[in-house]
Every structure is written in C-alpha cells, then in structure tokens.
C-alpha cells in the first residue's frame, strides 16, 4: 500500500509514519499541498494523510479537478473537536488525533488496503474457477473474467494478483463504465501539461501507476471502440503515449479485464474489437451467478454476519434455521453485492441470540415472501402489466429509464447496469429526453416531476 503524508515532519508525524511502515505501507512525504499533488501526478498513492493545519479543502478541490480519486485522512495534535469537524467538512474521510494510536492507524490502513475484499467460497462450481485462476496466476497471460454484476469479478481479479509473481507490486483498478468517454483516455494513459482544458500539470495514468504490477480494466465492454485501438497497441507493445505527449513511455504490467457482457456478441455488433478480445482472452474465467452456488450463499451470509457485527460493535449471531431457508430461497439477482447489503441490514435489525427471518428484509423493509421467488415474480409482473395497456413502447421505455435513474439517485453508471445497457446508450437516451423538455435526475437527486407522454 502506498501512503502519501503531507505536512512538515515533527515527532508525531514521524511516529505515525513509522507505524504505517510497520503495517506494510510504503510512505512518501511532502511538506505542502503543491508538492503532494506533484507526487500524486508522478507516482500515485492509495491514501493521503495530511496535517490538519494545511488547506485540506484546497487539496480536495485539486483532487476533484484532476480526477484523482485518492481518499484523504486528516491528522493533528489538536484535541479540539472543531478541528476534526472542519477537516471532515473540507472533504477528509477521517480524522486521526496525534500522538497516533497504532490500532486506529491500522484500522484506517485496513479500510483502504487493496486486499480488503475477502475472498470467500465453498461451492464446487466456484472451486473449479478458483483452481484455474490460481493455476494461471503466476503466468503473464492476460485474463478475462466474466459474469453478472455483483458476482465478485474484481475480488477474483485481486486474488489472481495476490497469487501472482507481481503480488508485491501495485494493483490498480479502472472502472471503464464509471469514467466519461472523453476522460477515459487521460485516466488510462496520463497527459502532459496543457494537453486539454484543465490539464494544469503532467499526470501519469493508470498504466504507469500500475508499472511492475497488475492493471484491472473493469467493465471493459463499455470502452469506446476508438480508444480500444490505442489500448490494443499498449497491450501488444507495452508502450503508451500520454495525451499531448511526444515520447512513448514503456510500461511493464499484467492486464486483467472484466465484463458482464458477452464480448463475442459485442464483436458481432461492432462495439468491441475482435483483435482486442483475442488479446485479452488468453485465459477466460467465468464466475457463475450466486443462485448457481448454493453452498456459497450460506458461507457468504455467515461471513457477512460476522463482518458487520464487528464493524458495528454488535455480538456475532448465527442465522436461525428459518433465516437460512429464506436466504437459500432468494434468487439474489444482485448476486453477492445484494446478499452483503441484506446481511448488513439483518445484523442491525436482529434481536435475540440469532438472526431470524424477521430481520431478512428487502431495502424497502419488506420481508422475503415464504411462497418463494416464483410467486413473488408473478404478482409483480401482473401488477406491472396492468399499467402498460394503452401506452407506446417509447413511453414505457422512457418511464423505465427515468424511474431507474431516480432509484439510483441520478447515478448514470448504476442505472445503466440495472437496465442492462451501456453507459453511452443511457446518456444518448437522456439527452433525447432533455431535448424533449423532460426533467432528468441529476447525480444525488430525483425528479420533482414525472411525465413521459
């Protein structure tokens, strides 16, 4: 783990730095925010610790402007609660009082460590996937990991990295669906000062940040086909060109990629390059959905129950037999991610010595119906169908897209995943609706009016 410490070194900060190094972090020090930004542009970091006396808001604003997504933790010798509040309001994720408590620093490092996602499995279908993953981990072959959203593709990618010869080097993940098309090239390959508006200084991209280690291209199917050509060259020649740069940069990386789409089908549609698919798909790992891994459901549920009991300072309670039955019956369309959220809720809502079925609730607070998923689906389908008669397909599609965006509080990436369309297609649809005078939810909000004709 790479830690950047910003502030003039005194006794307390030196002690904090030593504790971090004892916990396995490599520490780089900068005296002030401008020097810290230069370090981030040139080397990257997994976590920033900054003296509370420095301009934290200035740092956070600069990070946002340059799209550097590194968490910030403030630290200071002041016992004044107002200092901690001011730091959090300025954009820091946490405040650590100095002199440092080793356990508190260890907890912060653990929270942002690249291997923080536990890899838990027991089902035979997963055993076969993991065995193949570990068999190829020490090679330099590119690996393509496919599966539905929420099945644990990134967790498996981290496992491959940890079992590889590059385990001691960086693991860098890029979500190709979460970054706007116009910015993804700079995010991957970096840019030179003045390459475009907002490029205030040279910045290395994720390829250079991952040098010597592993680069994960998450949801690569969402990448624009024009950028795929530049990516293909980088994979073939291990050479990249920064945006606005004149000299090629050599990189030494191992590339993993994930997709929740059938890339062979995307090739047929013309949205994904066939030669890039061959380059990525040296080894293919398919993660089965959670509903096809019954032994994993109970194992993961037990793991999440323990995890969130510890996180929330609550007693560890097992699932009751009735709760286990409900958990096994649910189809888990959101896969491991949905199961994790459900068990987190259950830990908070449970009473007594076990987690009972009354604590296994949906996000809306509804209990999982005893009659099983088929009956529930039939009821929902019947109610939905009654409201469709007399409407055009375009009107129904508009309602579906805008309602889903409301449900996701304006988050385009999450909405596109739920709808099963690319982020590019979603943006085009939303632009059409805005041009037609319809209200579209902005990130972090919902519509105040709803009308699709």
């Amino acid at each position: 783990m790479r830690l950047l410490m910003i502030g003039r070194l005194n006794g307390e900060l030196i002690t904090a730095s030593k504790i971090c190094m004892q916990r396995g972090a490599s520490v780089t020090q900068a005296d002030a925010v401008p020097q810290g930004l230069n370090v981030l542009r040139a080397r990257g970091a997994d976590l920033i610790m900054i003296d509370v006396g420095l301009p934290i808001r200035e740092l956070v604003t600069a990070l946002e402007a340059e799209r550097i997504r590194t968490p910030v933790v403030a630290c200071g010798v002041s016992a004044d609660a107002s200092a901690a509040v001011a730091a959090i309001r300025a954009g820091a994720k946490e405040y650590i009082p100095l002199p440092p408590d080793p356990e508190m620093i260890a907890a912060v490092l653990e929270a942002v460590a690249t291997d923080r996602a536990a890899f838990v499995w027991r089902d035979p279908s997963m055993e076969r996937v993991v065995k193949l993953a570990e068999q190829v981990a020490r090679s330099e072959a590119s690996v393509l990991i496919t599966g539905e959203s929420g099945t644990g593709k990134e967790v498996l990618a981290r496992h491959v990295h940890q079992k590889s010869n590059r385990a001691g080097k960086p693991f860098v993940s890029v979500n190709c669906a979460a970054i706007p098309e116009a910015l993804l090239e700079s995010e991957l390959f970096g840019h030179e000062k003045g390459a475009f508006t907002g490029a205030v200084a040279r910045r290395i991209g994720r390829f250079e940040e991952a040098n010597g280690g592993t680069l994960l291209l998450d949801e690569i199917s969402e990448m624009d086909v024009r950028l795929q050509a530049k990516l293909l060259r980088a994979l073939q020649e291990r050479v990249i060109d920064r945006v606005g740069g004149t000299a090629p940069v050599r990189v030494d990386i191992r590339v993993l990629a994930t997709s929740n789409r059938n890339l062979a089908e995307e090739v047929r549609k013309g949205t994904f390059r066939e030669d890039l698919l061959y380059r990525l798909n040296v080894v293919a790992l398919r993660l089965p959905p959670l509903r096809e891994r019954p032994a994993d459901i109970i194992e993961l549920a037990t793991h999440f129950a323990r995890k969130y009991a510890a996180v929330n300072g609550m007693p560890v309670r097992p699932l009751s037999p009735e709760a286990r039955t409900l958990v096994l019956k649910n189809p888990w369309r959101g896969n491991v991610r949905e199961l994790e959220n459900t068990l987190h809720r259950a830990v908070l809502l449970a009473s007594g010595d076990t987690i009972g079925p009354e604590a296994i609730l949906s996000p809306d607070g509804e209990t999982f119906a005893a009659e099983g998923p088929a009956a529930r689906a039939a009821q929902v389908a019947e109610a939905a169908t009654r409201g469709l008669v007399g409407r055009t397909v375009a009107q129904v599609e508009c309602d579906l897209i805008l309602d889903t965006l409301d449900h996701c509080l304006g988050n385009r990436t999450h909405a596109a995943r739920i709808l099963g369309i690319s982020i590019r297609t979603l943006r085009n649809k939303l632009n059409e609706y805005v041009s037609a005078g319809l209200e579209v939810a902005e990130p972090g909000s919902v519509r105040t009016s709803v009308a699709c004709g």
Side-chain angles (χ1 to χ4, degrees):
M1 178 180 174
R2 298 161 300 166
L3 172 66
L4 171 61
M5 189 169 287
I6 303 178
R8 292 192 178 277
L9 289 178
N10 54 29
E12 289 81 5
L13 283 180
I14 290 174
T15 301
S17 177
K18 289 180 179 178
I19 292 172
C20 292
M21 288 188 285
Q22 289 169 358
R23 300 287 177 167
S26 62
V27 180
T28 304
Q29 192 268 335
D31 288 342
V33 170
Q35 290 89 339
L37 288 170
N38 287 336
V39 171
L40 289 169
R41 294 169 186 140
R43 304 178 189 174
D46 298 309
L47 176 67
I48 301 169
M49 289 180 65
I50 181 172
D51 190 321
V52 73
L54 294 178
I56 296 175
R57 189 174 296 280
E58 176 185 323
L59 171 65
V60 172
T61 301
L63 295 178
E64 291 174 350
E66 298 191 40
R67 303 179 303 281
I68 299 174
R69 299 170 179 84
T70 306
V72 176
V73 173
C75 54
V77 296
S78 173
D80 185 0
S82 62
V85 172
I88 299 299
R89 286 179 176 171
K93 300 297 183 185
E94 294 286 349
Y95 177 83
I96 298 177
L98 301 177
D101 178 351
E103 294 305 317
M104 178 178 288
I105 288 184
V108 171
L109 294 179
E110 176 64 22
V112 297
T114 56
D115 61 350
R116 63 189 180 275
F119 192 29
V120 177
W121 80 93
R122 175 167 289 187
D123 197 88
S125 62
M126 272 297 292
E127 183 69 30
R128 290 190 291 272
V129 176
V130 175
K131 184 177 180 180
L132 177 58
E134 293 180 348
Q135 183 177 340
V136 303
R138 292 189 175 276
S139 73
E140 290 297 304
S142 299
V143 178
L144 178 63
I145 305 172
T146 60
E148 296 179 6
S149 293
T151 49
K153 297 187 292 295
E154 182 171 350
V155 176
L156 180 59
R158 290 181 185 276
H159 185 70
V160 170
H161 171 71
Q162 289 160 12
K163 295 293 183 180
S164 74
N165 296 325
R166 298 173 179 263
K169 300 295 184 178
F171 177 90
V172 177
S173 175
V174 184
N175 189 327
C176 300
I179 302 172
E181 177 185 323
L183 303 178
L184 184 56
E185 181 179 4
S186 170
E187 188 75 18
L188 289 173
F189 303 112
H191 60 253
E192 297 290 345
K193 181 179 180 179
F196 51 84
T197 302
V200 296
R202 171 189 282 183
R203 180 188 164 193
I204 67 167
R206 297 305 181 94
F207 268 82
E208 289 181 80
E209 193 176 333
N211 194 38
T214 303
L215 177 66
L216 172 63
L217 300 174
D218 196 17
E219 302 301 351
I220 194 172
S221 56
E222 306 304 322
M223 183 182 292
D224 183 80
V225 69
R226 290 168 295 183
L227 184 55
Q228 292 173 23
K230 187 170 183 178
L231 173 61
L232 179 63
R233 174 177 178 263
L235 297 182
Q236 288 175 333
E237 303 178 16
R238 293 298 191 263
V239 169
I240 63 167
D241 296 305
R242 298 192 190 106
V243 178
T246 56
V249 179
R250 186 160 294 278
V251 291
D252 171 27
I253 58 171
R254 200 261 187 94
V255 174
L256 311 178
T258 75
S259 176
N260 60 5
R261 296 178 181 274
N262 184 328
L263 290 185
E265 181 63 29
E266 298 302 312
V267 168
R268 287 190 285 273
K269 292 179 183 177
T271 60
F272 201 83
R273 293 179 62 107
E274 186 174 23
D275 47 5
L276 178 58
L277 174 59
Y278 290 145
R279 173 64 60 174
L280 292 171
N281 197 20
V282 177
V283 177
L285 300 174
R286 178 191 171 272
L287 276 173
L290 188 57
R291 59 184 172 273
E292 296 178 8
R293 298 149 48 185
D296 281 358
I297 294 177
I298 295 300
E299 188 75 11
L300 284 164
T302 301
H303 165 74
F304 291 136
R306 290 184 184 135
K307 172 183 175 180
Y308 288 108
V311 167
N312 293 284
M314 304 179 73
V316 176
R317 287 171 287 198
L319 274 71
S320 71
E322 296 81 6
R324 292 166 69 95
T325 299
L326 281 183
V327 166
L328 284 170
K329 279 185 176 180
N330 196 62
W332 302 115
R333 293 182 179 85
N335 291 295
V336 179
R337 191 177 295 121
E338 182 187 0
L339 176 65
E340 180 174 8
N341 292 339
T342 300
L343 265 295
H344 193 172
R345 271 193 305 277
V347 167
L348 300 176
L349 298 176
S351 58
D353 297 330
T354 62
I355 297 175
E358 71 283 350
I360 309 295
L361 303 176
S362 71
D364 298 328
E366 297 179 358
T367 57
F368 288 174
E371 62 268 20
R376 292 200 307 275
Q379 293 172 3
V380 172
E382 182 182 358
T385 304
R386 286 196 296 267
L388 300 179
V389 178
R391 310 193 68 213
T392 67
V393 171
Q395 289 170 342
V396 173
E397 179 187 63
C398 175
D399 274 341
L400 177 61
I401 290 175
L402 295 183
D403 287 347
T404 302
L405 193 62
D406 282 344
H407 173 75
C408 297
L409 295 179
N411 188 306
R412 271 64 173 163
T413 301
H414 291 174
R417 286 177 176 172
I418 292 173
L419 292 164
I421 61 178
S422 70
I423 190 70
R424 190 162 57 252
T425 299
L426 176 61
R427 290 193 180 114
N428 290 339
K429 289 289 184 182
L430 297 180
N431 288 337
E432 291 177 12
Y433 300 153
V434 170
S435 299
L438 297 178
E439 183 182 1
V440 173
E442 294 298 324
S445 66
V446 297
R447 293 171 293 164
T448 58
S449 61
V450 289
C452 281

